[in-house]
Amino acid sequence: MVVVEPHAKVLVTGANGYLATWILRTLLEEGYSVKGAVRSVSKGDYLVNLFKKYGDAFAYVIVEDMAKEGAFDDHVNDVEAVLHTAARATSNAKSLDELAAVNVSGTLAVLNSVLQHGTNVRRFVYTSTTGTVVDEPGKTLTEESIEWNDWVVDQVRNNPSPLGIFYYLASKVLAEQAAWEWVGKHKAGMRFDFVSLIIPWIIGPQIQEVRSRSDLTEAISILQVGLDNEWPPEQRYSHFSNWADVRDIALAHVRAMEKEQAAGQRFLISSGAFSLQDIYDALHSVTDSPLKDVPYGDPKGERGPLCIHNADKAKRILGITFRPLGPSLTQALVDHQEKLKTLPA
């Protein structure tokens, strides 16, 4: 049984983000009517132009402060699903409170709006991240075996000078924990189901607005550092991350919204784990890749143990077939390089 069917109206928060724009496109391609929540008219107008071929099927609403209680009250009363991708993601935060105000309070504010005013909402899909779970090299994780990354929360609360990215990761841990706690507390009065997707390192082309180098996704920027050969050989074989193509992650959000079996579930979304050398090897394996000037791996080189995020549950219930690394990575980096040419130094 399908919970939300094509031609229904869907609200996507943080609609101008890297992943969210692909979610919008996927929804529109599949016949949904989409409402995107953004913080400014300029961001909304960019999306209207980007999706102009879909006409009235796309519209946007302005929500300047997502964390403000009641900010979404008027925007959830005519939709059948909410895909909550909005979050403040930065590696330059100075405190946990700075991000928790949006990532934790904002998530709860949207849920409260849906509970009180989303009469027709049947499914709420929350975008989580692999930073919320414990990665142990050499271990294969499933939804049943994952543990909360309480270590990173402890770091930002008790370490006087943690890495800036830790504030973001901790805020996402607290946000998803708060969301599940909220669901447990309000379950009896909920007309909708809650689903969370634990998404990995995102790779793929970008269609969101890029006005400066800072608008380029940090994921691609860091991979570019790898291509600049700034990683010593011994680090190229160590565990880097799990990953998936942005288009596959977007489709996973749509299927998580639709599939009855997804109700109340967490899903690990992953095409696989990789090291930096795997990135180089993938580029060499793509015959039309313009990026060949990267180090070849040593076939006898010792690979560091990877932490595998097993996505069998997503494949089985959501019906996702993940793209391979080589073509996805090549497209992402070519797209990145083309955009750099159009931006001021």
Side-chain angles (χ1 to χ4, degrees), residues 234-254:
E234 62 273 14
Q235 290 188 16
R236 297 204 305 262
Y237 291 96
S238 62
H239 176 247
F240 195 59
S241 186
N242 279 255
W243 78 281
D245 189 285
V246 65
R247 292 159 291 189
D248 296 335
I249 300 173
L251 182 61
H253 279 74
V254 177

Side-chain angles (χ1 to χ4, degrees), residues 78-110:
D78 62 343
V79 300
E80 293 186 29
V82 175
L83 306 187
H84 182 47
T85 76
R88 187 174 173 205
T90 177
S91 59
N92 299 314
K94 303 302 181 184
S95 73
L96 178 58
D97 290 343
E98 180 183 338
L99 299 182
V102 174
N103 297 346
V104 181
S105 300
T107 297
L108 297 180
V110 180

